[in-house]
Amino acid sequence: QVRLVESGGGSVQAGGSLTLSCVASDTTYVGCMGWFRQDYSYDDRMGVAAIDRDGNAKYADDVQGRFTISQDNAKNTIYLQMKDVGPGDTSIYHCAAGRWCLEGRYLNRADFAYWGQGTQVTVSS
C-alpha cells in the first residue's frame, strides 16, 4: 500500500502562482505519478499532469505551458508548479501513483492504483 499526502493548496488570485506537493510513503513499485483534478464527483477526476521515473512528463492541453510537474526521487515527492492560474483552475487536486506511465495513457486515471485525499485550490478573479 502506498500512502500519498498532498499539501500546498489554498486560495490565490487569478494570475498568481501556487505549488502543490505530494509525498509518497513508498515508491519501490511506483513508476508513474501524477495530478488529477476533481471538479464535481470523485468519479470525474481528470488528468492534469503525470511524470515517469525518467522525468518524462505529459500535460493536459489546458495547462500546457502554465503548469510544471517535477519530482524529487530522493524525497519520494512530486510537485505541481501552477502559474498564471485562472478561476477555471479551481478544483480539488489529487495526487496519484501507479506502476507504469504507459505511452499515450499518462493521464488515464484507471492506470493509477493509489490516490491521495486531495488538496483544494481556489482561484479568485
Side-chain angles (χ1 to χ4, degrees), residues 33-103:
M33 294 187 71
W35 292 95
F36 287 73
R37 60 183 290 171
Q38 175 191 340
D39 293 341
Y40 302 103
S41 72
Y42 187 70
D43 291 337
D44 292 329
R45 287 160 289 157
M46 297 188 300
V48 175
I51 188 167
D52 66 19
R53 273 196 174 276
D54 294 329
N56 299 303
K58 303 291 184 184
Y59 298 91
D61 290 343
D62 61 341
V63 305
Q64 183 78 45
R66 299 189 299 120
F67 292 8
T68 302
I69 188 170
S70 61
Q71 62 189 358
D72 185 334
N73 291 333
K75 296 182 179 180
N76 290 351
T77 300
I78 64 167
Y79 306 93
L80 184 68
Q81 186 179 27
M82 308 167 67
K83 293 183 177 180
D84 193 22
V85 296
D89 296 316
T90 295
S91 191
I92 299 172
Y93 286 79
H94 293 271
C95 177
R99 185 68 180 93
W100 307 107
C101 277
L102 300 176
E103 187 62 36

